[in-house]
Amino acid sequence: MIRLVALGEPLVQLNAVTPGPLRYVNYFERHIAGSEANFCVAAVMAGASCGLIARVGDDEFGKAVLEYLRGRGVDVSRVRVDGGAPTGIYFVQRHYPVPGRSVLVYYRRGSAGSRLSPEDVDVQYVKSADAVHSTGITLAISESAREAVYLAFEHAARRTFDTNIRPALWPSPEAAREAVLRALRGGVEILFTDPDDTRIVLGVSDPDEAYRRYRELGVEVLVYKEGARGAYVFHDGGKYFRRAYAVPVEDPTGAGDAMAGYFAALYLSRTPPERALDLAAAASTLVVTVRGDNEAVPTPADAERLLSSL
Ligand code: KDG
């Protein structure tokens, strides 16, 4: 079984039960999310093992994160409980101002998760994994978290990375660009990204041009997500496009993480990239049909059922 490790902040998500501006939303549904936690759940669903390196607060929400992720089969043995700061939370505003899209409103500055630091990186644990994953979110939340990612990447056998640039978390696009380019420097085997992030990182958004440029930076496999249109996988000089399925969208948050966790787990266990992308696209399709970032990630058999129903 492929063994993955991810670094990043797990968060409590308060998802608006009704669509529209948050100021008129009276009910929220609580979920456990955070990009790398979502990645781990998806990887486990796809048949890998995944451990999370993170911090949570010594509070009820921190307990909820640990119990939920443990229950989903994620190894939380390297999630440290930090009594000095609270577990981070965020709200999801749905279908407003753009129908079909969500807006994330963070209350996480100074959170326990953002205090992730190189001290939390158990080098032996990292070295024993087949691959280490992180995202631009972890690079953004604090300098110590960013250094933790660079340290883990230095010791990783293989690296996977999702640019996940959340403009609300960065002082400027240039800061994001610089941090992402540094993460790519040691050689990332699978890069997950999209046109918006690639415009920031490379100044281009055409998928073929993006592949050419990322390849020069050492990326072997590029998963280029074009949202509601579909996604490409580029590898060995070739490309394959998977059109997205048209489904009713409840909340697209977490779709990219489902695709990344699923794809990484399958590809690294030697599933051909085209097949891995088909199944990963099925996983991310199901995620957008519900609130919550990871509850609807399917088993491979259910992903297959969706693929064969189309
Ligand atoms: O990809 C989904 C994430 O954006 C969401 O779970 C919250 O981790 C999160 C973040 O920092 O945006």
Side-chain angles (χ1 to χ4, degrees):
M1 184 196 277
I2 282 290
R3 217 176 76 71
L4 302 172
V5 165
L7 286 92
E9 179 174 16
L11 294 161
V12 163
Q13 176 193 90
L14 295 155
N15 201 312
V17 170
T18 49
L22 281 189
R23 76 195 96 139
Y24 301 119
V25 173
N26 294 318
Y27 297 101
F28 294 92
E29 196 176 76
R30 205 258 303 139
H31 296 271
I32 302 301
S35 181
E36 297 80 3
N38 296 337
F39 173 94
C40 283
V41 171
V44 168
M45 290 301 291
S49 80
C50 194
L52 185 65
I53 298 181
R55 288 194 193 194
V56 293
D58 188 8
D59 47 27
E60 285 301 319
F61 282 159
K63 289 184 177 70
V65 166
L66 288 171
E67 285 188 16
Y68 178 76
L69 292 179
R70 194 179 290 122
R72 298 300 306 267
V74 176
D75 176 13
V76 291
S77 63
R78 296 323 189 264
V79 180
R80 179 165 157 193
V81 176
D82 179 342
T87 303
I89 66 170
Y90 72 107
F91 291 81
V92 181
Q93 169 174 290
R94 298 186 301 112
H95 295 286
Y96 185 88
V98 183
R101 303 229 187 121
S102 296
V103 175
L104 310 185
V105 181
Y106 300 117
Y107 291 83
R108 66 193 303 184
R109 199 181 297 270
S111 64
S114 69
R115 285 154 53 117
L116 176 70
S117 89
E119 280 164 44
D120 301 318
V121 177
D122 173 343
V123 169
Q124 283 319 313
Y125 185 73
V126 162
K127 279 187 172 165
S128 67
D130 294 297
V132 175
H133 175 81
S134 197
T135 76
I137 295 171
T138 311
L139 300 183
I141 56 178
S142 68
E143 198 180 328
S144 63
R146 186 154 61 241
E147 291 304 323
V149 173
Y150 296 146
L151 177 67
F153 269 18
E154 198 181 307
H155 293 284
R158 299 160 88 176
R159 286 163 281 271
T160 72
F161 187 76
D162 190 330
T163 53
N164 256 350
I165 296 175
R166 301 280 185 267
L169 299 176
W170 288 103
S172 66
E174 293 69 36
R177 173 176 188 273
E178 196 184 306
V180 167
L181 286 174
R182 181 166 165 204
L184 298 184
R185 215 172 284 155
V188 161
E189 182 167 343
I190 311 174
L191 178 69
F192 302 93
T193 190
D194 63 22
D196 288 344
D197 287 6
T198 299
R199 219 170 283 122
I200 293 172
V201 177
L202 300 177
V204 302
S205 59
D206 172 71
D208 296 282
E209 178 65 3
Y211 177 50
R212 197 182 63 72
R213 301 273 298 278
Y214 281 127
R215 217 176 171 198
E216 281 169 7
L217 296 172
V219 169
E220 286 179 33
V221 177
L222 174 67
V223 176
Y224 202 72
K225 300 171 283 181
E226 292 197 334
R229 215 177 86 70
Y232 291 92
V233 61
F234 290 87
H235 65 99
D236 297 320
K239 72 175 167 189
Y240 170 71
F241 182 70
R242 173 87 218 181
R243 205 159 36 84
Y245 314 103
V247 290
V249 176
E250 186 73 5
D251 172 19
T253 318
D257 306 325
M259 178 169 281
Y262 228 79
F263 182 89
L266 294 175
Y267 176 81
L268 294 171
S269 45
R270 300 182 180 281
T271 304
E274 295 78 8
R275 169 96 180 128
L277 187 68
D278 285 348
L279 290 164
S284 68
T285 298
L286 288 167
V287 164
V288 309
T289 63
V290 297
R291 294 190 292 273
D293 290 12
N294 52 57
E295 288 88 338
V297 175
T299 58
D302 284 347
E304 189 56 63
R305 233 163 259 147
L306 172 58
L307 290 177
S308 53
S309 76
L310 297 163

